[in-house]
Amino acid sequence: MDSQNPKSTSNDSRCVFFNTDSEDYRCVVILTVKRATGTFSLVGCIFMLFVIWLLRRYHSLAQKMILSLTVAAFFDSVAYVMGDSHPEASLCDFQACWLTYFDWSALAWVCLITVNLYLNLVREISTNRYEMLYHLLAWGVPLVMASLPLLKGYYGPAGAWCWITDDHVAWRFGIWYVPLFSLIFLMICCYARIICVANARMQSWLGTFNPERERRKVSLAEEIKPLKWYPSVYLLVSIFPLINRLHNAFYPQDPSFSLTLLHVLSAPLHGLANAFVFGLDRDWWSLLSPTGMQLALQSRLCDRTLIGEYHPGAVRYTQADLVDLSDDDDDDTNVLFYSPDMTLKDRGP
């Protein structure tokens, strides 16, 4: 190794996950595909962040959770485009820890979105008070999961990027794959329950008609349509990484080029998958028409309305102003806002 030139040493480091010095083209393909899929995810996340900013979709709790998911997916995608070869020592640990943290953070936000929707629709519980708890779980739990292998010294070269090494297969499955597929299964069950409850309520008549409650039911039912795909897309992008890691566990000295290629094709696509689910909401596309984009941009970039402090001038009263022209106080209905659909209740004699 000491006698090899720098270029040969670089090739060796890039091909370490195939245990070969001569077939470097496979590494070039793997690394190129990894950077491409990571870049696609970055673009998808940037698009989502731009639309969220443009349309100001960051006020309600559900919108804030989707924003947080997008941020986590963005930084997760960054990890997949880091470098062309395995960095050494601390830099490799940093990449592996970064990847584990934001993989877990994105998964945590998808789970919490599911839980929030379940509490809203099935249990009919207002969850606004849980916002801080959601953030604590989504950013705190991943920190624990990413720190454990770091403290044990189990991070290192692990295929096309740095992660838990081949010598600690049990940790790979305990830290990521077993919790991942368990949570995906639970989310699928949760969405099945949500859909059943939503369908039952939409087809049933429960007591006195309440327009606000019925409007909220319809709104939540519409919200389910795109969100229910989150577990499915996470399952799809996780199948080939699981198969490849199982192959690595049974044949650590004989990595498969085809499985590794499928791994790097799918694993970095979390950000793009989130953008795909994001795009399933037809309301977004109606707002992103050319006219809608123009109006939104004008609102964002050209609205220079300033609200200043009101300074009242001196008020001079005349005798006519002091005359009480109002009727008896009992006839005052105190209507502040009016709409054609509004009816005032009879207050009695």
Side-chain angles (χ1 to χ4, degrees), residues 225-266:
K225 291 181 180 179
L227 296 181
K228 68 183 179 182
W229 292 106
Y230 273 122
S232 300
V233 296
Y234 262 73
L235 180 62
L236 289 176
V237 300
S238 302
I239 289 177
F240 290 119
L242 173 65
I243 295 174
N244 187 47
R245 293 305 184 185
L246 286 172
H247 183 274
N248 294 156
F250 287 105
Y251 306 100
Q253 302 302 320
D254 187 24
S256 170
F257 172 72
S258 58
L259 287 178
T260 304
L261 180 60
L262 292 172
H263 188 163
V264 299
L265 270 172
S266 54

Side-chain angles (χ1 to χ4, degrees), residues 41-348:
S41 284
L42 278 175
V43 172
C45 292
I46 292 172
F47 168 75
M48 290 178 63
L49 291 172
F50 171 73
V51 172
I52 290 171
W53 168 82
L54 180 65
L55 302 180
R56 293 182 171 90
R57 295 301 181 96
Y58 43 73
H59 296 294
S60 70
L61 177 58
Q63 293 170 349
K64 292 177 182 177
M65 295 177 75
I66 293 177
L67 173 60
S68 298
L69 169 62
T70 307
V71 171
F74 172 85
F75 286 107
D76 184 46
S77 300
V78 170
Y80 289 105
V81 297
M82 285 183 179
D84 290 338
S85 60
H86 291 119
E88 296 297 332
S90 59
L91 187 57
C92 187
D93 290 343
F94 173 77
Q95 181 186 22
C97 190
W98 178 297
L99 184 64
T100 305
Y101 179 83
F102 286 108
D103 268 342
W104 258 105
S105 183
L107 177 63
W109 279 116
V110 172
C111 294
L112 290 172
I113 289 171
T114 304
V115 171
N116 189 69
L117 190 60
Y118 178 87
L119 294 176
N120 285 161
L121 184 63
V122 178
R123 302 295 299 274
E124 295 188 343
I125 296 175
S126 176
T127 55
N128 290 329
R129 64 182 181 275
Y130 298 147
E131 182 176 354
M132 293 304 299
L133 176 61
Y134 288 162
H135 280 281
L136 180 64
L137 292 173
W139 303 116
V141 172
L143 181 62
V144 174
M145 303 302 285
S147 298
L148 290 176
L150 179 65
L151 295 176
K152 299 290 288 187
Y154 291 164
Y155 284 139
W161 45 74
C162 290
W163 194 46
I164 301 172
T165 61
D166 293 335
D167 297 331
H168 307 95
V169 174
W171 274 75
R172 285 181 174 179
F173 289 89
I175 286 292
W176 180 241
Y177 287 104
V178 172
L180 170 66
F181 282 89
S182 299
L183 290 172
I184 288 175
F185 174 76
L186 292 175
M187 282 192 288
I188 292 174
C189 294
C190 191
Y191 273 108
R193 174 63 176 166
I194 290 172
I195 293 171
C196 289
V197 171
N199 290 336
R201 288 182 178 174
M202 291 297 293
Q203 297 172 3
S204 63
W205 178 266
L206 300 177
T208 304
F209 178 76
N210 186 328
E212 176 60 25
R213 185 178 184 184
E214 294 303 316
R215 184 203 60 79
R216 184 170 176 269
K217 287 181 184 178
V218 173
S219 176
L220 288 172
E222 290 296 323
E223 187 176 355
I224 294 171
K225 291 181 180 179
L227 296 181
K228 68 183 179 182
W229 292 106
Y230 273 122
S232 300
V233 296
Y234 262 73
L235 180 62
L236 289 176
V237 300
S238 302
I239 289 177
F240 290 119
L242 173 65
I243 295 174
N244 187 47
R245 293 305 184 185
L246 286 172
H247 183 274
N248 294 156
F250 287 105
Y251 306 100
Q253 302 302 320
D254 187 24
S256 170
F257 172 72
S258 58
L259 287 178
T260 304
L261 180 60
L262 292 172
H263 188 163
V264 299
L265 270 172
S266 54
L269 290 179
H270 288 131
L272 189 62
N274 292 334
F276 171 76
V277 175
F278 187 78
L280 290 176
D281 190 344
R282 290 176 296 179
D283 292 339
W284 291 103
W285 292 110
S286 62
L287 294 173
L288 292 177
S289 63
T291 303
M293 288 281 288
Q294 182 180 0
L295 293 175
L297 284 172
Q298 288 177 351
S299 174
R300 265 299 187 180
L301 304 178
C302 302
D303 187 1
R304 295 293 182 266
T305 303
L306 298 178
I307 300 177
E309 182 179 359
Y310 173 66
H311 299 281
V315 179
R316 181 176 300 174
Y317 293 98
T318 64
Q319 186 65 27
D321 294 325
L322 301 177
V323 177
D324 186 6
L325 300 176
S326 64
D327 295 332
D328 186 35
D329 290 341
D330 291 339
D331 294 332
D332 183 13
T333 55
N334 293 323
V335 178
L336 300 180
F337 302 98
Y338 173 78
S339 70
D341 297 330
M342 180 184 295
T343 57
L344 300 176
K345 293 183 179 179
D346 184 9
R347 300 192 305 169

